[in-house]
Amino acid sequence: MNIDRSQWKWLILSIVFSIVVLALVLYFTIDENTVNYLNSLKPEYLVAAILMHLASMCAWALRMKFMARSLGYKVPFLHCLNAVFANLLIAAVTPSQVGGEPVRIHELYRAEVPLGDATAIVIMERVLDGILLGIIGGIAIIAMWLGSEELGLSITIPLFLMWVLITAFVVAFAYSIKNPAFLKNIVKKISGLFTKRWQADKIEEFAGKIDSEVDNFNHAMTNYVSHSKTGLVWGTLFTVFYWFSEFFIASLILMGLGEAPHIGESFVAQIIIAIIMMIPLTPGSSGIAEISATSLYSVFVPSSIVGVFVVLWRLILYYMNIFLGIFGSIVIVKREIVRQKISKIKADIKEDIRQKKSNVEEKIMPKKE
């Protein structure tokens, strides 16, 4: 699964924007104490942070594998892991990092999972993420609101509103599974804003397609929820492990810089950053993540190392993702090339057999006459 030229431009823009913001963060935070912190750098914690990130990727892959297995499909772990890697590259060039879903659906489909079930699995992954972040996000925002006067209402109120929107979306989605008419009405109202000038017969035909697609989607989701209780259990467990691992990386980096882990404060900050990054503002939330992390961690981390911390944090959770994404995409592209070559060889063999059969029949026909 490769990305086209325009997406490469977005990736480059995202990286450039991130680098510029990181450079500004370093410029305004580095002082004479920064050198002392760097001299006491403990690389083993940074290695542990990298391994923790890889462990979270494995948890994500296992989530895909077990959720697919609960429906009766055997998808190899390495196939799921590479799907996760390739998904990271597309996520780095799309707002809210949502562009990776089609990649994962495509890879499940390539592993002989029907398209409807593959879509249901990937959507349920996002739903589980949303439920977990919705539950702990509200707690985190309240904790930061009550525990730090420095943040103020100008930050906590927008975050609270964002959390409300995420929670409302998850609740509405869950409701739409049992009541497909609710989802149909929403989709039709939204599409109606863009079809006002269409002719009546065309609008009716389009409405029919909406009903059909919503029914197909609802059938896939209902089928998954009703026939995959174990998949939901495994999915929840791996979702919790995934987010715990991703959030704990920040504490490992702080320990690597000789600072206390600040586990509680760091987890709250990471949850809030995760919610902020869902806002579709920049490709891969580039710049938004750096500014958010700098603002939140400066509350409880010495300013001398905030910049260095944010750089190391983004190196692991963003730039490492791009590297893994490129690796995963190359694997998929090579596989597709081999698949095309095999298909061509099979087609050539069939054509050769057909041609030989035709020649034999031409030789036999005159004898029969």
Side-chain angles (χ1 to χ4, degrees):
M1 180 70 64
N2 58 328
I3 59 179
D4 58 34
R5 184 175 298 178
S6 64
Q7 289 174 321
W8 278 114
K9 291 180 180 178
W10 280 114
L11 177 61
I12 294 173
L13 178 63
S14 177
I15 293 174
V16 170
F17 190 31
S18 175
I19 291 174
V20 170
V21 174
L22 288 175
L24 291 173
V25 170
L26 287 174
Y27 178 78
F28 288 108
T29 58
I30 288 179
D31 55 29
E32 61 276 5
N33 294 323
T34 304
V35 178
N36 296 329
Y37 277 105
L38 292 176
N39 288 334
S40 60
L41 184 69
K42 300 174 183 177
E44 62 271 19
Y45 285 103
L46 301 183
V47 173
I50 293 173
L51 294 177
M52 182 67 78
H53 187 44
L54 291 175
S56 68
M57 295 297 103
C58 290
W60 192 345
L62 287 170
R63 180 172 68 175
M64 288 181 62
K65 176 180 174 65
F66 278 81
M67 291 179 73
R69 192 178 74 173
S70 66
L71 292 177
Y73 307 112
K74 295 182 179 180
V75 184
F77 167 73
L78 291 179
H79 184 90
C80 291
L81 184 61
N82 194 70
V84 170
F85 287 168
N87 143 92
L88 296 174
L89 181 60
I90 305 300
V93 300
T94 52
S96 301
Q97 302 182 352
V98 298
E101 276 68 19
V103 176
R104 303 202 302 280
I105 293 172
H106 173 271
E107 286 304 285
L108 285 172
Y109 178 72
R110 282 301 192 197
E112 299 183 355
V113 177
L115 190 59
D117 288 339
T119 303
I121 291 169
V122 171
I123 290 176
M124 282 307 303
E125 284 185 316
R126 276 297 184 182
V127 171
L128 291 174
D129 289 337
I131 292 173
L132 181 64
L133 292 177
I135 293 173
I136 61 179
I139 299 172
I141 292 173
I142 293 173
M144 288 293 280
W145 193 348
L146 298 177
S148 176
E149 297 179 357
E150 296 182 38
L151 284 180
L153 296 178
S154 61
I155 295 179
T156 53
I157 289 179
L159 290 176
F160 178 74
L161 293 176
M162 186 62 193
W163 170 77
V164 170
L165 288 174
I166 294 171
T167 304
F169 175 79
V170 173
V171 172
F173 177 82
Y175 180 76
S176 68
I177 293 178
K178 287 189 175 182
N179 300 274
F182 171 74
L183 181 59
K184 289 179 182 179
N185 290 333
I186 292 178
V187 175
K188 286 179 181 178
K189 287 181 180 179
I190 295 175
S191 61
L193 299 175
F194 305 95
T195 59
K196 291 181 178 179
R197 298 183 178 180
W198 289 12
Q199 295 179 355
D201 57 341
K202 189 175 181 181
I203 293 176
E204 185 177 353
E205 180 183 356
F206 184 69
K209 289 181 179 179
I210 290 177
D211 288 341
S212 176
E213 292 301 322
V214 170
D215 287 337
N216 291 335
F217 170 78
N218 179 261
H219 175 73
M221 295 304 301
T222 303
N223 179 64
Y224 186 88
V225 173
S226 59
H227 294 88
S228 184
K229 298 294 190 298
T230 57
L232 292 175
V233 173
W234 282 111
T236 301
L237 292 175
F238 285 121
T239 297
V240 172
F241 181 84
Y242 168 81
W243 286 108
F244 175 87
S245 301
E246 291 289 272
F247 290 165
F248 192 65
I249 288 172
S251 295
L252 289 173
I253 295 173
L254 288 174
M255 287 188 284
L257 291 170
E259 181 66 15
H262 297 289
I263 296 177
E265 299 93 331
S266 184
F267 266 58
V268 172
Q270 289 292 310
I271 293 166
I272 293 176
I273 292 170
I275 293 175
I276 293 174
M277 290 174 67
M278 291 182 181
I279 304 174
L281 297 176
T282 60
S285 298
S286 178
I288 304 299
E290 290 84 351
I291 294 173
S292 301
T294 304
S295 302
L296 291 169
Y297 277 89
S298 61
V299 174
F300 54 88
V301 173
S303 60
S304 301
I305 60 168
V306 167
V308 176
F309 162 78
V310 173
V311 169
L312 293 174
W313 177 69
R314 286 299 273 174
L315 281 174
I316 294 174
L317 293 182
Y318 179 67
Y319 292 97
M320 182 177 171
N321 282 358
I322 292 175
F323 172 78
L324 293 174
I326 292 174
F327 171 80
S329 297
I330 290 174
V331 171
I332 292 176
V333 169
K334 286 186 175 181
R335 184 199 66 205
E336 294 299 317
I337 291 174
V338 172
R339 184 188 292 269
Q340 290 177 4
K341 287 183 178 179
I342 292 175
S343 298
K344 187 176 184 305
I345 291 173
K346 288 181 178 179
D348 291 342
I349 291 174
K350 287 183 179 179
E351 178 61 24
D352 186 54
I353 293 174
R354 189 196 66 78
Q355 189 64 41
K356 289 181 178 179
K357 184 179 179 181
S358 176
N359 293 338
V360 170
E361 289 176 350
E362 288 179 359
K363 292 179 180 179
I364 294 176
M365 287 299 291
K367 294 182 179 179
K368 285 185 178 182
E369 293 174 358

